[in-house]
Amino acid sequence: MNTRVMLLSGVALAVGVAAPAYAQSVEPAAAGAQPQADDTALPDIIVTAQRTSQSLQQVPIAVTAVTAGDLASRQVMNTLNLDTAVPNLTLSENGVSVTPFLRGVGSNQSNPNDEASVATYIDGVYIPSVTGNIFKFNNVERIEVLKGPQGTLFGRNATGGVIQIITRDPVQQPLVDASVGYGTFNTLEAQAYVSGGLASNLAADLAFSFDRNGDGYGKDINRNADIFLRNQLGLRSKILWTPGANTEIRLTGDYSRLKSTGADYQLAPGVIGADGVTGYPGKRKTNTDFRNTADNEVYGFSLRIDQDLDFARLVSISGYRHVTGEFQLDQDATPTPIVQATINQFAESFSQEIQLLSKKDSTIDWLIGGYFFDAKYAYTPLRIAGFAAAPLPNIDLFGSQKTRSYSGYGQATVPIFADTKLTGGLRYTYETQDTDGYTESGGVVFPHAPNPLCPGATTHCPQSQNIKKLTWRAALDHSFSSDILGYLSYNRGIKSGGFNMINAGTPGYRPEVLDAYEAGLKMQLFDHKVRFNIAAFIYDYKDIQVFNITGGGAVLTTNAAAARVHGVDADLTIKASRYFTISAGAGWLDGKYTDFPNATFTPSSPLLGGQSSVNATGNDMIYAPRVSGNLSLDYRIPTSFGDIGLNATGSYRDKVFVSAANRLFIPSYAVVNTTLGWTSPDKRYGVQFWVRNLFDKDYYLNRTEQALGDIQFLAPPRTVGVTVSFKNR
């Protein structure tokens, strides 16, 4: 019974679902860009990639920065399609969650304690749970994607990189910015942002967003029900208090709720399902007996205090995050009740960070800090029903993990020659993890066999492990001129380990370790009309955490692989004229497993046999496209009756494999979004016509190998709509 339960839980988790929260209102202007006196030149973009404000062109790190204006014009509405603006970023959507892979580094795990390999931060607060890392872009100033391990300043779980979302600060002068949009599939989108002063030194704002596609864009042919339905609400508020000239205090709260039809998976073409009869049901159709649903609630609070001291700057960042979700999934994707999974997840975390930074005019830029992180993750429970639980009505799997982490870090940048600087940084992390789990049905807890990992336990199996890791950064940068910067860097990052929460009695897995060697060049040319940044990198990736088959047949997370990655990525922006801007990005990857002797091979159909182990050494890494790129053309036409704006944005992703066995893959695809907008002469009123997926391309958001047969779901078809907007100034 225990072996079967472990196998079923692994199968359910192979396509386990998670769901989102939302950051908030898109300002048409590029808030992250600094204005220039000459509007024929590109504006300077200020980023916080090194936890302090710097020009993008002066940071010796590969960073793609996307401003609020870019997001709006390119129809990048949330993190689900952020990859259309960032080269070498691939997003794997798993139902109603998304897992980022950056430069081929990411995780295909789906337990609530399996934190992403690309860390997400909002206003400096770490978002640990994959069930809360989708954000609708409302009230965003800019997004920074830091590429490569950020093991010193950002620490745990940043082996692939960091996605930083920076929201707007409230202002004293009253501001109202609102829009309402309607489109095909009965799509309604509304958002509003209001801000103003409450006192001479106190300002507040509120951001609201709501959207739904009331008709969906697919059908379940067995249940005669609409699928691909979403209904989501997001709220975010920030209070800015300046009690003195040297003090700023920001208190932020956010709430979001998403209800949807969840992961509307179908059997892939050519696959016969576990019932031995059902096959591919057709484009954007499912054929199930159990309604897929998702209901996810996320909220959080943060407090940031900035204090300017005589000798340095002091920053305190406190954050609390809470996520609960219930997801129902017809695991076998057939009209026969074989595996019906109800996944109840919980995640809660508190973080506290203290930083002491050098003065902004200091010759030596330095930063020291401490970080505390406390989290609890749980299944409450994961329920298996259908024939898989027979003769029992259902089987409930409970599991939890508690994590407590402490870090101390420091980094300094020292001028060593004229126009040459040396950066060095270290971070030490100590972490404890505790887990417990058990299985029951109808209130009766199943006993388990004696286990050396939890001696003396008969039903539960408590375990613990400690993690101690040192990470670092070393970089050398040289300014060849005021507009050209070159750099070399060596970084080590880690992704924390953990436990297989609902497979009590199995060993924990160790942290991943990634060593990155990078060379980059950042240039501003032709009187700042051209910005070109390029980086080449080599990764040595060890102890990769992957789903794997054990001798007992259970699907577990283990440290089973090593890999190497070679690649290049580049960003190019051209101010072709006062009214015409061209933006482009390109990435090339060559990622291979160098040691993976026991990868999982899953036949496309259960009728073809069971899962087995194969040697994947030399195979391509998962979700690592050989080529990726994007191109955006933005043209503005001033007239006597207002400005006309046109934008066309296209993105391309090469083929990616979804498992290390390199059998099932997501084919290459290209997608184009367009907008045509009008803004009144006083900039207060606007109308925007938009088309997403202009050429109605069929491409997959997810394809998954599982023991019950390959499953998949398509991205939305072409959607067309119009949005009207108003702002008071």
Side-chain angles (χ1 to χ4, degrees), residues 19 29 66 77 83 107 137 179 213 264 266 273 334 382 395 421 464 528 560 588 597 613 646 648 680 707 712:
V66 189
M77 309 306 294
D83 56 344
S107 171
F137 298 144
S179 66
N213 55 318
D264 290 306
Q266 60 175 199
T334 74
L382 189 159
I395 299 172
K421 298 177 181 179
S464 299
H528 290 198
W588 174 81
S613 293
L646 301 95
S680 64
Q712 63 187 25

Side-chain angles (χ1 to χ4, degrees), residues 13 78 94 179 183 331 378 527 545 609 624 688:
L13 285 176
N78 50 47
N94 197 350
S179 66
Q331 183 70 43
D527 296 325
Q545 299 164 7
Q688 185 184 75

Side-chain angles (χ1 to χ4, degrees), residues 138-161:
N138 182 20
N139 188 31
V140 168
E141 178 179 310
R142 69 184 183 277
I143 296 175
E144 304 169 9
V145 180
L146 286 59
K147 301 175 182 179
Q150 308 296 320
T152 301
L153 298 183
F154 291 91
R156 64 194 315 277
N157 305 327
T159 47

